[in-house]
Amino acid sequence: MDIASGLMLGLQTALQPEILLYCFIGVFLGTLIGVLPGIGALAAISLLLPITFNLEPTAAIVMLAGVYYGAQYGGSTAAILLNLPGTPSSAVTCLDGYPMAKQGRAGVALFMVTIASFVGSMLGIAVLVAFAPGIAEIGLRFGAAEYFSLMLLGLVAASTLSVGSPIKGLAMVMLGLLLGTVGTDINSGVPRFDFDIPELMDAISLVAVAMAIFGVAELIASINFKRDGTAKSIITLRSMVPTRQDLKQSALPMLRGTGIGSFLGALPGTGPTIASFMSYAVEKRVAKDPSRFGKGAIEGVTAPEASNNAAAQTAFVPTLSLGIPGDAVMALMLGALIIHGIQPGPMLMTEQPELFWGLIVSFAIGNIMLVILNLPLVGIWVSILRIPYHVLYPAILVFICLGVYSVNNNVFDIYMTAGLGVMGYLLLKLRFEAAPLLLGFVLGPMMEENLRRALLLSRGDPGTFIERPISAVVLALCAALLLWTLYTALKRGMKRREQEQDRIPE
């Protein structure tokens, strides 16, 4: 099927009233979650995952995807008005968005961010349409060895390129892989790490892990959350009109941000957060007067927002075309697809074209809905920021318990969520990122399956991984990434020691 026929098929699917309704619900909830600091798209998707079990697969995935890219739009509202990012990828928007709000230009910042998000998303969708079919065609030539190597690259990249310490990232990947081994072995039927607890024989629930480390842990961390009163600002449609200079200064940064986001979003281990920070750094470097940044430069909000929204769309390229998630949100989306009986990968496009193309077209429709939601209704989002957290968060905790229980109708899953939630909070306090853990948990069983299959086909010869050209190149990339991480960690350690020695008085 060519791209034009695929888009026509997708249009027929996405314009069905049921799909439109769930697309709207997804982007509305995504914006709401993005506006509220401390919750995030991951926690929201984890919360909604059990609710989608009774939905038709296309409607369910369209809604969950809407939550993801909707949160990218909403995340900037709190960043501009409160100096608190609603999502990690909006953190860089605080640097210039909040100074703009203090200068009385909050309305202009919100308007330009919405336009930048729309431009980034739509161009990101164009990249998705252009490259996903080609990558899926290449993916058809992949065997078990190539899939294992690619998944390994995804895990290594996620742990070493993520924000924070690479060593801690690797530790979290290992913890995720360990949690993924719990349960009955698929090949031999031998129970593993079940500690004679019957509930663990069916493995740890993905929903319980996701809700615990992203939902419960974030809620515990938000108990001491403080905010200031900037949200009391009144935003009118008149105050949102940008000047000609604002539009002129934003045009090229939006395009550059989109390019950076589209490229980084499709790579494993990067995602919208790294894309937005990198885009900001590029704008500061190419600016004629870099001293304007951090004081309310319009490029400082438009480029990162275009970048993170483009990355959110192109992140679906490896997930849909190869079945390999690049970050934790995509890992959760992959889990959602599998729960609904859909196997992501090269065959998805040929076996379920309605779902694949319907999902892509729904992205474009969802982004148009988001512009409508974010511009005229900005006053509603500002008023939501005034809801006291001591009222909001207990209600979310109740929804978490209901969601976890509804998956298997088992109270044990609630205990498991509570235990993992406390563990997630402790890891958060110790500055361990939770995203690599989830990626390891989702990819671990799939990696094990492909590793075993590749060894069975080669009659136990591990040389099969380096004899096959694609697998060998990907493994070489993994080794290069690990060596680079080790080198930078050693260099950083030596620099720190030198600084400490300089401080010691002679």
Side-chain angles (χ1 to χ4, degrees):
M1 183 181 290
D2 58 39
I3 291 176
S5 308
L7 288 174
M8 285 305 295
L9 179 67
L11 206 58
Q12 288 171 17
T13 308
L15 287 179
Q16 290 174 25
E18 186 193 2
I19 304 293
L20 282 174
L21 174 67
Y22 284 108
C23 184
F24 176 78
I25 293 172
V27 296
F28 180 83
L29 290 176
T31 309
L32 177 64
I33 295 299
V35 167
L36 294 168
I39 299 178
L42 263 169
I45 294 173
S46 312
L47 274 166
L48 291 170
L49 194 54
I51 299 171
T52 66
F53 288 173
N54 296 321
L55 297 181
E56 191 265 326
T58 308
I61 304 302
V62 162
M63 188 175 90
L64 293 178
V67 172
Y68 176 45
Y69 57 80
Q72 307 299 325
Y73 275 71
S76 55
T77 304
I80 292 167
L81 296 176
L82 296 177
N83 201 25
L84 290 169
T87 57
S89 60
S90 300
V92 75
T93 307
C94 295
L95 298 177
D96 283 282
Y98 189 61
M100 282 184 77
K102 288 207 288 189
Q103 293 162 15
R105 303 188 73 219
V108 174
L110 288 169
F111 178 87
M112 291 307 295
V113 156
T114 304
I115 298 301
S117 301
F118 182 72
V119 170
S121 296
M122 295 306 275
L123 293 178
I125 293 167
V127 172
L128 177 62
V129 170
F131 288 99
I135 292 173
E137 206 172 311
I138 295 168
L140 287 171
R141 299 174 202 159
F142 284 13
E146 284 82 3
Y147 274 115
F148 169 78
S149 304
L150 273 174
M151 287 173 191
L152 188 64
L153 176 65
L155 288 183
V156 171
S159 54
T160 56
L161 297 181
S162 58
V163 181
S165 165
I167 305 299
K168 288 182 176 179
L170 280 171
M172 291 299 273
V173 166
M174 295 304 294
L175 182 59
L177 289 173
L178 274 175
L179 289 174
T181 58
V182 175
T184 307
D185 184 274
I186 298 172
N187 293 328
S188 63
V190 176
R192 299 186 302 192
F193 307 114
D194 65 343
F195 304 102
D196 292 328
I197 300 171
E199 287 85 355
L200 285 180
M201 289 180 71
D202 291 332
I204 299 173
S205 161
L206 168 66
V207 176
V209 174
M211 283 200 181
I213 61 172
F214 293 108
V216 177
E218 290 291 343
L219 286 180
I220 298 171
S222 301
I223 289 172
N224 295 322
F225 208 62
K226 290 180 183 176
R227 50 181 175 174
D228 74 30
T230 317
K232 291 173 185 171
S233 309
I234 296 170
I235 309 292
T236 61
L237 285 177
R238 186 184 290 272
S239 71
M240 296 173 78
V241 178
T243 62
R244 189 175 292 179
Q245 184 69 10
D246 289 330
L247 293 171
K248 192 179 169 187
Q249 285 179 326
S250 301
L252 276 177
M254 276 188 212
L255 293 177
R256 277 194 290 264
T258 301
I260 292 168
S262 300
F263 175 70
L264 290 177
L267 294 180
T270 49
T273 305
I274 290 177
S276 61
F277 276 91
M278 194 163 282
S279 181
Y280 186 85
V282 167
E283 287 310 316
K284 200 171 174 182
R285 182 154 293 200
V286 301
K288 287 179 183 171
D289 180 14
S291 64
R292 290 173 50 248
F293 282 77
K295 298 171 186 168
I298 191 84
E299 310 97 293
V301 294
T302 51
E305 285 299 321
S307 188
N308 66 36
N309 281 276
Q313 302 296 340
T314 55
F316 283 93
V317 173
T319 307
L320 293 177
S321 55
L322 294 176
I324 298 170
D327 61 16
V329 178
M330 286 301 112
L332 207 52
M333 292 297 295
L334 188 77
L337 285 164
I338 293 169
I339 286 170
H340 281 279
I342 301 160
Q343 188 58 50
M347 299 303 288
L348 178 68
M349 206 174 296
T350 49
E351 290 180 354
Q352 293 180 297
E354 296 89 1
L355 186 143
F356 179 83
W357 291 106
L359 193 56
I360 288 178
V361 174
S362 78
F363 290 168
I365 295 172
N367 276 284
I368 294 168
M369 288 179 180
L370 280 166
V371 173
I372 297 167
L373 278 173
N374 276 269
L375 289 181
L377 303 182
V378 69
I380 295 174
W381 306 121
V382 173
S383 62
I384 285 169
L385 286 171
R386 297 172 192 146
I387 298 175
Y389 290 156
H390 67 267
V391 173
L392 190 68
Y393 287 155
I396 294 173
L397 203 57
V398 172
F399 283 124
I400 288 177
C401 293
L402 286 173
V404 172
Y405 179 77
S406 65
V407 177
N408 297 317
N409 293 332
N410 194 337
V411 179
F412 178 81
D413 286 346
I414 297 178
Y415 297 144
M416 175 64 76
T417 307
L420 288 172
V422 172
M423 184 190 80
Y425 173 68
L426 293 175
L427 291 171
L428 195 70
K429 293 299 285 181
L430 294 170
R431 297 178 186 276
F432 281 87
E433 269 198 271
L437 186 151
L438 186 69
L439 209 57
F441 180 74
V442 173
L443 281 182
M446 294 162 69
M447 276 180 67
E448 185 186 352
E449 190 184 335
N450 281 291
L451 175 70
R452 284 182 165 185
R453 193 178 295 159
L455 288 174
L456 276 172
L457 291 171
S458 66
R459 298 186 179 182
D461 180 14
T464 187
F465 294 103
I466 50 173
E467 284 166 3
R468 298 173 73 96
I470 296 174
S471 174
V473 169
V474 176
L475 286 177
L477 276 173
C478 291
L481 255 179
L482 283 172
L483 286 173
W484 176 72
T485 306
L486 190 65
Y487 168 73
T488 50
L490 284 172
K491 197 176 169 185
R492 205 178 300 155
M494 286 171 68
K495 195 175 177 182
R496 198 182 304 128
R497 272 198 296 275
E498 282 173 8
Q499 286 173 344
E500 284 170 2
Q501 282 174 357
D502 289 344
R503 284 194 207 112
I504 298 170
E506 294 181 0

